Structure formats: C-alpha cells, structure tokens
Amino acid sequence: MVALLGPSGGGKTTTLRLMAGFETPDAGTVTIAGQTVAGPGRFVPPERRRVGMVFQDYALFPHLTVRKNVAFGVPHGPDRDRAVQQALELVGMTAEAERMPDQLSGGQQQRVALARALAPKPSVVLLDEPFSNLDANLRRHVRGHIRQILRDAETTSVFVTHDQDEAFSIADKLCVMLDNRLEQTGAPEDVYLYPASLGVARFMGVANILPGECSGGYVRCELGVLPVGNPDPPKGLVIVCVRPETVRLHTESDASVEGIVTSVEFHGTSKAVNLRLRSGRPVRCVMGVHIPAEVGETVKVGVNSFVAAFPPPSAHDTAHAA
C-alpha cells in the first residue's frame, strides 16, 4: 500500500490520473505489472489497464443497486456473478446487495466503490482522497477496515491523501510530493524520522526550526549539543529540525536550558506546551497530560532524541529561521 502524501496542488491526483490513463504524460513512461501502458508511441486506454479506481465522491451509479454497481466493470461471462459475490463478501456488503446507493451511509458507499474497483481483479487499485467525505470518527474506523480489505484482496494499492495521520496509519510505503516533485520515498517511520530535506521535515508534522552548527555527527544549537540522525549530516552552519515530541520539560540534565511556558493546549491524550527560550525563540513540546506545566513557569528544557540537520537553503531562509 503506497500513499502519495502532499499539500493540495502538489501533483498527487494528476499522478494518479496518469496511472489510470485519464491523462497522457508529456514525457516518461507509466508501467503497470511489467507492462508499459503509456510512453513514446504507446498509450493503453484506461479500460485495458487492469486498474481499479475509487473516486473521492465514490461515483456510484444512483439508478443501479449495489450489486449492479459492483458488476458494472466485470466482463460478461460464466464467472461474472461469482466475481461480484466475492467482491461483496470481501467488503462485507452482501446484506445490502439489493439496496440503492442513496439508502447507504457514507462508509457503506465507500465499501461499494471499493468492491466495484476490486471485482474485475485489477493489478492495482487507485484511491483518490478516499476518506475525505467522512467525519473524523468514521474515518478512523473505515480506514482500518479498508486497509484490511485491500490486504485480504492481496492487491497493490496507491492512494492520495494530504492527511499525514491517514498516510502513517495505512501505508507500507510513503511518497512525499511537494511542488509537483517526489521529494522522498520510504517507510512512513523512516520518512518522519529521517526527512530528506527541510521541506519534507516541515511538511511532516510540526517541527521546531532553529539555526545551528554541525560537526562530527552533532549539532550545537540553542537547545544544546544534540546528536544528528541524518545518515550523512552536513557540516558547518545548518538549519536544525527538532520534533515537539522529543522536547522534554523538567529535565535535570546538565545539557538542559531554561524556557518560560507561554501557553498550554490540552488535546485529551496529550498536551502541547509552548515555550520561549532566553533568546525569545519559541519552542513547542508535546507530552503526556500528567506532566505539570503552568503558564509563566520557568522550566528546564532538553531533547531526548536525535534531530535532523540541513544545509541552509539560502541566506534569506537562514535569517527567517533565526
């Protein structure tokens, strides 16, 4: 399961449409299961690519029952009814097979759309923002269900999302797209912990950005002398990325520095504490709700993990980060 993750307008949906055959590439090739389906002098139409598509709005036919919606893309033949039934069983919609789409919930409509995509036994299933039309609680439940369905179907899938939590929880491989370029590809945990660029680091969740100086695998910055997690860290002046969850308060370490609590945000399972260091630089910390932090309090601040360091993109960006 591959997630194309990036901001709106970053090229994700266009990439999906190129795979599906709804767009023709200006250059390069598209290869699916070893077969080139688009390239110089070659273009295989969408219906012959063995690609299943789940659209953002599901695109179910309102005048057809659930069963007929699922059967729509399955070739006529002796195995057609069995393929439809298997797809309905896979998504758990056999009891609703004779209902109309407007009689279904959003989550049920999504499962019907997925069954329709899986019924023809495609080489790959493409999903365009598949959970964006669901409320937050239903989204969490449905995405776990959809992940299991796709695993049971043993079908490669590529889905587009701008939601990082969604990508982290579902994807085996994460592809970060920024400004129409593929910036980094890897396991979700690796991309988060070892961002390939400052742009990826900033996009992948909240980050504390500080100037620093790097040498010997360590960086010296206002939060102390910290180990760098980059496989090949730069030397000299750098921009440092410190994740909020690695910042700790009330630490007694000799390397700790002082900060003043400026605000506290309660999020149920965690709380975010905003600090101001002696220089006036803001730093954000995410921690357990039981750890005390009062607005106006002076606390010891430390970092309990490695950080990421990047060469300054430009003099302007360095001054901005500082």
Side-chain angles (χ1 to χ4, degrees):
M1 296 188 68
V2 178
L4 293 181
L5 174 67
S8 298
K12 306 182 301 298
T13 295
T14 299
T15 302
L16 216 63
R17 291 177 63 83
L18 286 165
M19 295 179 192
F22 303 147
E23 304 283 354
T24 304
D26 298 316
T29 60
V30 179
T31 303
I32 298 174
Q35 178 191 11
T36 298
V37 295
R42 181 170 178 77
F43 184 81
V44 177
E47 65 273 15
R48 291 178 48 210
R49 292 195 181 190
R50 297 196 62 221
V51 169
M53 186 81 184
V54 179
F55 297 92
Q56 185 173 355
D57 60 358
Y58 316 136
L60 299 178
F61 300 111
H63 62 291
L64 298 180
T65 64
V66 166
R67 185 181 301 279
K68 290 181 178 179
N69 261 284
V70 174
F72 185 82
V74 182
H76 289 274
D79 295 329
R80 189 180 194 222
D81 289 344
R82 183 173 63 181
V84 172
Q85 186 63 24
Q86 286 176 342
L88 288 170
E89 290 174 357
L90 188 63
V91 302
M93 290 296 290
T94 53
E96 294 81 8
E98 304 311 320
R99 289 188 181 182
M100 304 301 287
D102 63 1
Q103 297 175 308
L104 305 176
S105 68
Q108 289 174 321
Q109 289 183 37
Q110 185 182 59
R111 282 189 281 158
V112 174
L114 183 59
R116 184 177 60 183
L118 291 171
K121 303 292 191 293
S123 296
V124 60
V125 173
L126 309 178
L127 304 97
D128 187 8
E129 297 278 5
F131 310 108
S132 61
N133 290 332
L134 306 177
D135 64 63
N137 289 331
L138 184 58
R139 189 181 305 137
R140 283 189 290 270
H141 170 75
V142 169
R143 70 191 183 197
H145 194 186
I146 296 300
R147 175 183 171 88
Q148 190 58 51
I149 289 171
L150 289 167
R151 287 215 180 282
D152 292 343
E154 298 182 344
T155 301
T156 297
S157 59
V158 181
F159 72 97
V160 159
T161 181
H162 64 269
D163 187 310
Q164 294 163 30
D165 289 342
E166 199 166 275
F168 289 154
S169 65
I170 294 181
D172 301 308
K173 181 181 289 187
L174 192 61
C175 301
V176 180
M177 296 192 72
L178 302 175
D179 297 325
N180 302 299
R181 292 181 61 87
L182 191 62
E183 287 283 327
Q184 187 173 359
T185 298
E189 183 175 350
D190 291 340
V191 174
Y192 183 79
L193 293 176
Y194 309 105
S197 68
L198 183 58
V200 173
R202 280 176 161 152
F203 180 74
M204 298 296 289
V206 177
N208 296 302
I209 305 296
L210 306 89
E213 188 168 357
C214 188
S215 64
Y218 286 83
V219 64
R220 182 181 297 275
C221 65
E222 194 173 352
L223 283 172
V225 178
L226 309 173
V228 178
N230 306 42
D232 186 20
K235 295 180 180 179
L237 296 178
V238 294
I239 299 297
V240 186
C241 169
V242 183
R243 295 294 183 195
E245 62 271 18
T246 68
V247 179
R248 289 291 178 264
L249 304 189
H250 308 295
T251 173
E252 297 303 322
S253 167
D254 293 337
S256 61
V257 298
E258 286 189 346
I260 297 174
V261 178
T262 57
S263 67
V264 179
E265 304 165 11
F266 179 69
H267 296 291
T269 57
S270 65
K271 67 181 175 184
V273 178
N274 295 304
L275 310 163
R276 186 175 65 250
L277 302 182
R278 281 187 172 180
S279 66
R281 183 181 308 282
V283 167
R284 188 172 177 88
C285 165
V286 174
M287 59 188 190
V289 296
H290 62 284
I291 300 175
E294 298 292 336
V295 174
E297 178 185 9
T298 298
V299 294
K300 292 285 189 177
V301 185
V303 178
N304 71 346
S305 183
F306 54 80
V307 299
F310 307 97
S314 68
H316 169 76
D317 288 340
T318 303
H320 177 72

